[in-house]
Structures are given as C-alpha cells and as structure tokens.
C-alpha cells in the first residue's frame, strides 16, 4: 500500500493542473477536493471526482512500490508546478505523501482513501473524431450560458446526423452550430453535454483523435492517457433549424478579422449597455456606435453586398465573440429583418468542419 | 483655437496611456478626469492634474493649426491604443475632437477648457541621476505601505548625502535603503516623496538621465519629453541608521535566485498567516515551513556561513519581495538576534548603486 514512484516533473505537474481545472470550484468536503494517486507497474494514475464528474489521467512513471493514496489536489498541483527538478519522487512516509527532489522534501497529509466515493469509469464508446476539430466544439461551448438556473442553456446539444456530429449551443441571445466529420460506432446519438466540461476538454485534449463515450446517463471523452466523464443534462433542447433557413434579405461577405478590428475600436463608444450598428452599404460595412457621454465612432470595412440594405444593431461583446470564432477567414453574414430577424455568420468557403453562428440583432 | 495635428499613433498612444497611469483612480469631477491637449509648432503636449500632481508629456506631431482642448483622458487613451493606422489626425470638429484615420472617425466630446485648474510646472532643478538607477528607486518605493492612514509610510525619504542620493522607504515591517551616485546642483536636499508616483515614474522614464526638481512644497522628475511633479508629503520620517549597524550575530552569503526559488516552493506550506524559517547551518540554509493542514516542506540552499547559528522566521511575501530586489546577484544576510533583531540583505559585491533591505524577523 505504500506508494513509491519516480515521475518526470513536468508531465506529472501538467496532469495535476489539468485535473484541478476539471474539478469544479470549492468543496466543503475535503475528500472531494482531493485526488486519488495510484501507482501501478504501468505508471501513475491521477483521478478525481465531484460525484458527477469522473476524471482519470495516466502518466509515465517508474514504480518502486505499487499503492493508492488520497491527497489534497490543489496543494499537490501547486507543489508540482513550482518544482525545478526534472524528476520527482512521490513516496508515502508515515501519514504523509512526500515529494522529494535532490535537495528538497515537501510532505502533504494523507487522507482516508476508504472515505473516497471512487471515480466512475466512462460509459461505452460511441465514436471518434479528429482532435483538430475540438476548437469548433469550444466555440459552441462558449456560446452557452453560465447561469445554472436554466440548465438547458448551459449544455451543448450533441447529435449524430448521418456521418456528421452536430453540436449546438445557445444562451438564448446567440447560438453556435458546428457540423463535424465523425466516425460513428453506434446507430444513434442525441445527448445534452455540460458545456463547461466540453470547453475544458477541448483545451486539454492531445493526440490525433478523441473518442466520445455515452450511455443513457453519462457522457465521456477520452484521448491517450486521459478519460473524462460526467452526468448528462436532462432538458428539452430548442430546435435550431428555423434560425438556419437558407433565405436572407441581405448577404454580406467580409474579412472576419477586419470587421472584428473595427468592432473592437468602435465598441468603447457604445457605452455600458449600448449597441454597435453595422450599416450595410454598396461595397462596405460601416461599423458605428454613439454614446452621449463617450462620443461617437465609425469605421468602414470593405465588403461584398447582395440584397437589401439595412443596419442591424448588436451587443458589442456578442458580435466580437462571434467574429473571433472565424479568425483568419472570410465570412458571410446572412441578415434577416422583421419577425424572423436574425443574423447568421458562416464561412464563405467552409472546410470539413462547418460552423454557423446565429446572433439576435437588437430590436430596431 | 481649433487644434489640428497629425501624430504617429504609437507615440501618442503611449503618452496618453502614461498620463492615465500617472493620474490616480476615479474622479467625481470630469474636468480632472480629462487631459489638456495643446498643439504648438513644436508638437503635441498632453497634460493632466489631480490638483496635487502635474503631468506634462510632449510628443512629436505635425501641427496644422495650433490650439488647446480638454477631452476625457481614458476614452482618448483607449481609442488611441486600439488604432491600427500608423498615423492619426486629431482635429476639432464642432463640439468634438475627432480622431481620424483613412477609414475611420472617432469623436470625443470637448469639455470646457476654461474650467480646468491648469497643470502646475515642476519646481527648480536640484540634480540629476542616471536613468539606469531607477529600478533601485522602484525597489525602495515598493517597500512602502499603500495605507494612506499613515502618510509617512507611503513616502520615500530622499536625501542628499555628499555625492550620493539616499532613498529610504518602509512600511514598518521592512525597509529598503538605496544609495545612488548623484550629480547635485544644490547644497542640501531632504524631502518625503509619495512612493506611488516614484514607482510609476521609474517604470516610464526613458533616455539616459532623469532630473530631480524640488522646492519647499513640491517635488518633480523630468526626462526628455516628460515632466511629472507633485506635492511633498509632510511628516517626520523615522531614522534608519540603527537598523544598519555593521555588527551582526551571523552572516550568510547565498545566491539570491536560489534562495528565492526555495522560498517560492516552500511558502505554500506556511498556510495563510504562517512563516518561512531560514535554518542556518554550516554550509547551507534550509528553508522550512509547516502548516497542520497543508503539510510541511523544506529545501536546502548552499551558503557560506559565519558566526552564530540560528533560524529567523519571516512573512513569506516580505522575504520573497526582498530577494526579488537582488535577482541575479549573490547576497549577504546579516542576522541579529534579541532586542536588536533584524535581518539586513545586501549585495556581496555592491556596484555604484548600493541597496540594503531590512526585514523584521518574526518574534520567535
């Protein structure tokens, strides 16, 4: 039972930091604020749970003695992060886990491992996708709400549609829809995944491929050396299709970065609760804002325009977030007026991973 | 009166940002939250005041029409910072100051320049020092308190001592003393300078030399294109000499960065209000901390030790701040016990700019 391993410091430190970021906030129960370290002949496993999420990260290590211990997660992560030695030995000494380098010793209290509820395994595999597509999933996650009072808007709706995986996230004021190529291993998939874990997983995943796992209650993502799962959200998700109809009153093609730069410069003139206007003209979009105290601003951006002329108004941050998702690309804005008013941003030349971003213009 | 200038964007933006950083916090009076722009044949001057401080920054510009206007300082600085054009034209248009680039216009409201109290000029010159010595002045400023309730501890005591300028700052728990080579232009100088402006000036000053200005009421610093002055603090400053006596019970020579690294790694184990101990032994210092919940830690750092053995304890942040002031150098710790307990950190091989840092060890 007396765990004793030597591990490369940097890889152990990054795993501990990843685990801490995947475990939500502050726990009253010290057992849940702790991580389970398991030394096996294959290396070191770091695991944690908040009773909903289950996280298991494996890292290479030379195991001198197998064992399993429970230690406070954040102190362990902070100590590993600060170390300057290339390797660190983790060894149980009495009631402590010692972290030893040639000239230093750091000792953390051991907690009662038997009090830990255990870390659930991920449900069965349902398919796989290229890890390079995860930034698109992160964009969809970032379009959701952080307000737990309406759980459906904190989730990403993940569905299989033929050979594509369609991800939809919305906070009611904006919506992002990604359609990604996907190697399905089941006939059907329709789940509501907490957006926060999807965003964090998109940042952490490494390697070429990530595997999706799901059953009726849980969903998981795995990649080499890591497995993360959590309870599904259970709520009816709104249908996005009416916002994605092909017709539009006006279509504008514009460089996303040029428009984003103008929005960034003009937005301070919108005041605290103001709007940024896009004035669509023959061959340009004028980005405008005015506030009685701050002054007024406008900047012109070259554009190709078809259809009616009009000038939708947006909350500056939402417009900036949407354009940031298309950095480096030329986008098309499909603008609709009246009862069906909405603005859909998409790529002019979409790659295999399609992304559409729907904004609700302010009522004029 | 209708100011009209074309200025290089980056230099105007950095001047506006510097001026905003030199003006304290939030103003209820919009006139004080504004800056005075003056266009002369020589260029553009940006000036501001909070009634105590006076700031004048000059930048090159092509003046099309001379003039003087008052505009909100932060909005102007933010607009200039965001611009991506190489040059910007600042021109009065009606009741607004317009900032124009080839494809954009930003307009800020003009305020009533006559309502502005004016920006005071700096008092007469008293001497000059090499700008390269300013980081030492910044260290002294950072040893002071931010608590306005005790004004003396928010100031840096600046005195002329023969051909040296001696700067002392303390918050009662620590004290930094710098002795800098100085080209005096008066016989005597003894002033208490607000530390916050000295710290900011140390960051901003450019060029080879900075000039000090002072009279009975005010103190100022100037360098090419900039002049900053403020009201002196008026309070009796404690005498530092008793903390700097040459005798010590123990002298430790150690690499400042190695000791700082150990302090950084061990400090988390000191808990929220705990101490870091330096255990002085024959040829090493053991940095130690222990907290009942977090665990315990120790790291050894090679050192040369003369005199008695003992183990002073410090507040971790104070020890870390002090060592950071000596980055890249070998330092000597002169440790005293008993009634005269104090620890003085200095360079083993001091350059022309001497720095001594006094820490009060915790009562054992």
């Amino acid at each position: 039972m007396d765990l004793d391993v030597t591990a490369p410091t940097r890889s152990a430190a990054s795993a501990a930091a990843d685990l801490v970021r995947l475990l939500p906030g502050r726990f009253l129960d010290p057992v849940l604020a702790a991580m389970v370290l398991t030394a096996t002949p294959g290396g070191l496993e770091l695991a944690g749970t908040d009773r909903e999420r289950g996280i298991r990260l494996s890292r290479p290590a030379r195991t001198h003695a197998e064992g399993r211990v429970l230690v406070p997660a954040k102190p362990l992560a902070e100590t590993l992060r600060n170390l300057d030695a290339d390797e660190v030995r983790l060894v149980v000494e009495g009631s402590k886990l010692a972290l030893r380098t040639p000239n230093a010793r750091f000792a953390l209290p051991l907690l009662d491992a038997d009090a830990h509820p255990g870390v659930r395994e991920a449900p069965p595999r349902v398919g796989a996708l290229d890890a390079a597509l995860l930034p698109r999933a992160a964009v969809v996650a970032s379009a959701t709400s952080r307000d737990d009072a309406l759980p459906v808007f904190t989730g990403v709706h993940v569905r299989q549609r033929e050979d594509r995986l369609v991800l939809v996230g919305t906070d009611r004021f904006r919506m992002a829809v990604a359609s990604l190529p996907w190697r399905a291993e089941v006939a059907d998939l329709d789940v509501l995944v907490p957006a926060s874990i999807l965003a964090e997983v998109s940042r952490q995943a490494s390697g070429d491929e990530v595997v999706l796992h799901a059953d009726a209650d849980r969903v998981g993502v795995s990649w080499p050396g890591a497995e993360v799962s959590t309870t599904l959200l259970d709520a009816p998700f709104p249908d996005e299709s009416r916002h994605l109809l092909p017709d539009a009153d006006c279509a504008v093609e514009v460089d996303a970065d040029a428009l984003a730069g103008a929005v960034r410069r003009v937005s301070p003139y919108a005041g605290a609760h103001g709007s940024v206007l896009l004035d669509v003209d023959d061959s340009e979009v004028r980005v405008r804002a005015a506030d009685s105290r701050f002054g007024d601003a406008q900047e012109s951006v070259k554009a190709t325009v078809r259809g009616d002329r009009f000038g939708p108004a947006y909350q500056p941050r939402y417009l900036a977030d949407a354009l940031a998702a298309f950095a480096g690309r030329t986008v098309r804005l499909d603008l609709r007026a009246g009862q069906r008013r909405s603005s859909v941003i998409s790529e002019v030349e979409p790659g295999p991973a399609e992304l559409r971003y729907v904004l609700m213009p302010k009522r004029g």
Side-chain angles (χ1 to χ4, degrees), chain A residues 233-255:
Chain A
L233 293 173
D234 184 15
F237 195 86
D239 178 26
E240 75 275 12
S241 56
R242 70 186 178 93
H243 298 296
L244 300 172
L245 296 173
D247 64 316
D249 300 313
C250 172
V252 181
E253 288 187 15
V254 64
D255 179 77

Side-chain angles (χ1 to χ4, degrees), chain A residues 78-99:
Chain A
E78 185 175 358
T79 303
L80 286 169
R81 188 189 69 215
N82 285 335
L83 291 183
D84 63 349
D86 289 338
E87 289 200 325
V88 56
R89 184 168 170 194
L90 294 92
V91 53
V92 171
E93 298 178 354
S95 63
K96 297 274 176 71
L97 176 73
L99 283 73

